[in-house]
């Protein structure tokens, strides 16, 4: 094999569809592959995983795993989103519990609402 040449085993339907699309656009498929390789290197591989639109295409050409499932960054993003949603629920629950504690303190006249609490001892007398 000479320099700059490579051999690939594409799924036949995928290769035919790719060649047809390139031909429709008036582009040589080898040049498009070269541009894709450049983009892949520039993005350190992330270009494959940043486009949700690629997933149905990949499945239609016989790919058994979704592109998204192969990307650990997308999985981490999903986990972070779930944690943030759980955090919002936790914040709400803590806020609700705090409000209930404050209501109890007010009714029982304890804590912040205690007569001996510094904030309740306001003196309006002149010195």
């Amino acid at each position: 094999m000479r320099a700059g040449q490579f051999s690939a085993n594409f799924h036949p339907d995928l290769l035919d569809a790719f060649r047809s699309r390139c031909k429709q656009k008036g582009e040589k498929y080898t040049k498009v592959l070269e541009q894709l390789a450049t983009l892949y290197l520039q993005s350190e591989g992330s270009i494959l995983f940043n486009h949700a639109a690629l997933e149905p295409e990949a499945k239609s050409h016989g790919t058994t795993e979704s592109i998204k499932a192969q990307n650990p960054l997308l999985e981490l993003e999903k986990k972070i989103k779930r944690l943030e949603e759980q955090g919002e629920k936790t914040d709400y629950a803590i806020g609700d519990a705090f409000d209930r504690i404050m209501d109890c303190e007010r009714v029982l006249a304890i804590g912040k609402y205690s007569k001996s609490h510094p904030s309740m001892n306001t003196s309006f007398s002149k010195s």
Side-chain angles (χ1 to χ4, degrees):
M1 209 180 289
R2 68 175 203 259
Q5 185 180 12
F6 78 100
S7 174
N9 290 320
F10 284 91
H11 186 278
D13 294 338
L14 175 62
L15 184 57
D16 290 342
F18 181 69
R19 284 181 172 166
S20 294
R21 177 66 51 94
C22 292
K23 189 174 181 178
Q24 286 172 350
K25 294 183 161 269
E27 300 168 338
K28 292 184 177 183
Y29 80 94
T30 53
K31 291 296 178 187
V32 173
L33 283 174
E34 184 177 11
Q35 290 172 341
L36 287 172
T38 300
L39 288 171
Y40 181 82
L41 291 172
Q42 289 172 346
S43 71
E44 296 182 356
S46 68
I47 191 168
L48 296 180
F49 309 111
N50 290 333
H51 302 286
L54 292 176
E55 186 176 357
E57 283 290 316
K59 285 183 179 177
S60 70
H61 293 293
T63 302
T64 57
E65 293 182 27
S66 94
I67 289 173
K68 285 184 180 180
Q70 296 173 9
N71 185 356
L73 290 178
L74 285 176
E75 292 302 313
L76 284 174
E77 287 175 15
K78 287 178 189 177
K79 288 177 183 178
I80 289 169
K81 186 175 181 178
R82 280 193 301 259
L83 288 172
E84 287 172 345
E85 289 170 356
Q86 289 173 351
E88 290 171 10
K89 290 176 186 175
T90 302
D91 289 346
Y92 174 78
I94 290 171
D96 187 49
F98 181 78
D99 291 342
R100 289 178 180 202
I101 291 168
M102 296 306 290
D103 289 342
C104 291
E105 286 183 356
R106 186 175 58 255
V107 168
L108 298 171
I110 60 172
K112 178 178 170 181
Y113 298 99
S114 169
K115 294 193 191 283
S116 63
H117 191 273
S119 67
M120 296 301 284
N121 296 330
T122 56
S123 142
F124 295 104
S125 62
K126 293 184 180 179
S127 337

